[in-house]
Amino acid sequence: MTQSLDPTLIPPAFPDHTQLPESDGTFVKNFQEHPQSIVLTDSLESTLQALHPDGQYAIGQDCGIYWRETDPPERGAEAPDWFYVPNVPPKLDGQYRRSYVLWREYTAPLIAIEFASGDGSEERDPTPLSRSPEGVRQKPGKFWVYEQIIRIPYYAIYLIQTHELEMYHWLDGRYYPLEPNDRGHYPIPPMGVELGVWEGSYQNQTQHWLRWWDNQGNLLLTGSELAKLERQRAERAEQSQRAAIPKLLSMGLSIEQVAEALSLSVEDVERLG
């Protein structure tokens, strides 16, 4: 005799990213956070393309990482200001990610970064998950969640007011503070990059920014910085050609010969000469 399973005894499926809140309703704490996230993502694009030619990675910017089910749901999430997860699809079932649900993915971010508007005490909070004497669950601190539950290998805290950067590395069940290298940067070996503080102008703000460098110490440029660099190179090349044209013509070369020598069209020689 076959006994059927009572459907009322089957627990509901764990919710996915489409069923969980994508915001806890709090404000971004300052005007630097969004451009800071953008400069980190933008300048890392070519590096991530080389690391993931198949496009399998995800970047979160102030997005929730759900690590437990709670009521309300957002109490079971932490939202790093910036994080990177390797080897996961950028979309799920053709939909843009609304959050990162750990019990659906099982892959932890490789690095999480927090931009601390205060003194960093909130970002360093090691308070564990616990219950009060009345049986109420106490919300754990970010540091404890990242270290003990999500186990993010690299955790960075950037103190915006003082321009200080702290980096922690997960090893044998806990975070250990890292020391910067001779350039003042923190290497992230699995990514082949270094994280440090750069002073300059980005999106009409001149100040200190978190930036990436390669492992030779070369700053990774954003798309707009690369375009500006290319324009400057083109302008220098044109100036060099402008200076060369009259010299070559004075040596008795024809316009056609000058064009061939400088890899230009006859029209360009006439325009620049």
Side-chain angles (χ1 to χ4, degrees), residues 33-244:
E33 287 195 13
H34 282 162
Q36 175 62 86
S37 292
I38 294 169
V39 73
L40 286 172
T41 302
D42 188 2
S43 60
L44 199 59
E45 182 178 1
S46 60
T47 299
L48 292 177
Q49 288 176 348
L51 287 172
H52 305 284
D54 58 359
Q56 297 297 288
Y57 69 89
I59 298 291
Q61 298 178 167
D62 203 27
C63 297
I65 301 176
Y66 280 90
W67 57 277
R68 65 180 179 128
E69 286 193 272
T70 57
D71 184 18
E74 53 268 28
R75 285 183 58 86
E78 291 294 343
D81 292 309
W82 192 95
F83 64 93
Y84 152 64
V85 192
N87 305 316
V88 297
K91 293 182 178 180
L92 293 177
D93 300 323
Q95 298 185 54
Y96 288 103
R97 293 177 178 275
R98 296 174 56 184
S99 57
Y100 192 77
V101 185
L102 206 59
W103 59 73
R104 292 271 181 171
E105 307 264 6
Y106 307 110
T107 301
L110 177 66
I111 181 171
I113 303 174
E114 293 283 3
F115 312 139
S117 295
D119 62 2
S121 56
E122 178 183 346
E123 290 73 18
R124 300 188 205 94
D125 185 357
T127 303
L129 180 65
S130 60
R131 291 181 182 271
S132 69
E134 295 78 22
V136 179
R137 283 189 176 182
Q138 304 296 313
K139 182 174 174 60
K142 282 179 182 287
F143 195 96
W144 184 86
V145 173
Y146 295 161
E147 177 188 60
Q148 296 298 318
I149 303 299
I150 306 177
R151 299 181 179 181
I152 302 172
Y154 293 90
Y155 176 36
I157 301 172
Y158 178 48
L159 304 177
I160 293 174
Q161 298 299 324
T162 59
H163 323 306
E164 296 174 85
L165 176 61
E166 302 172 10
M167 179 71 75
Y168 299 88
H169 183 217
W170 193 91
L171 182 66
D172 296 332
R174 58 163 295 189
Y175 275 140
Y176 292 88
L178 293 178
E179 293 295 325
N181 61 17
D182 293 340
R183 291 186 284 267
H185 304 158
Y186 293 91
I188 314 294
M191 300 172 67
V193 298
E194 300 174 355
L195 184 65
V197 181
W198 172 82
E199 185 176 4
S201 181
Y202 180 71
Q203 290 197 359
N204 200 38
Q205 296 186 53
T206 300
Q207 54 195 19
H208 293 78
W209 302 91
L210 277 187
R211 295 291 300 262
W212 305 104
W213 284 260
D214 65 20
N215 50 23
Q216 280 79 49
N218 300 303
L219 183 68
L220 301 187
L221 302 180
T222 65
S224 61
E225 289 170 335
L226 287 169
K228 181 179 179 180
L229 187 62
E230 185 56 38
R231 287 195 302 270
Q232 291 173 340
R233 288 173 178 166
E235 289 170 359
R236 287 195 297 268
E238 184 172 307
Q239 290 171 359
S240 177
Q241 291 168 340
R242 283 183 185 277

